[in-house]
Amino acid sequence: LHSRLRIRANQELESRVFKVDSFEEFSQVVSGRGFVLGGWDGSADTEAAVKEATAGTIRVLKSRVDSGKLKCVYSGKPASYLAYWGQSY
């Protein structure tokens, strides 16, 4: 029973998390009650600008990123963190 519940919960979570290539896509996902897994440059200014534009905030910091390959979903600068973004309900 527990394993089926866990599998179902993981499937539900995965169906609501999206990786995006632009801030326009980011805005659509967040306003549609989904979550975005994307880069954040670590700047409080960026986080505030995203919140102002979309009401989306960082829900969880998944990991620190040092490769320089991942870009921030808002600023386009190299990301310092991989984060889950979403709206508060």
Side-chain angles (χ1 to χ4, degrees):
L1 176 68
H2 292 289
S3 64
R4 284 185 295 193
L5 288 173
R6 184 180 181 97
I7 289 169
R8 193 166 135 209
N10 282 337
Q11 288 172 338
E12 182 68 24
L13 175 64
E14 289 173 7
S15 75
R16 295 177 186 259
V17 176
F18 301 88
K19 293 182 182 179
V20 298
D21 294 319
S22 69
F23 190 68
E24 182 179 330
E25 285 180 287
F26 176 96
S27 299
Q28 291 172 353
V29 170
V30 169
S31 66
R33 303 291 188 214
F35 294 91
V36 171
L37 179 59
W40 174 46
D41 62 15
S43 163
D45 291 337
T46 296
E47 188 175 16
V50 169
K51 184 175 183 179
E52 178 70 28
T54 66
T57 58
I58 294 172
R59 310 316 293 167
V60 175
L61 288 177
K62 184 172 180 181
S63 60
R64 185 154 177 80
V65 178
D66 293 322
S67 71
K69 294 180 182 177
L70 184 65
K71 301 294 181 198
C72 176
V73 294
Y74 180 78
S75 69
K77 296 177 183 175
S80 299
Y81 298 93
L82 186 58
Y84 286 95
W85 300 78
Q87 284 185 347
S88 169
Y89 300 102

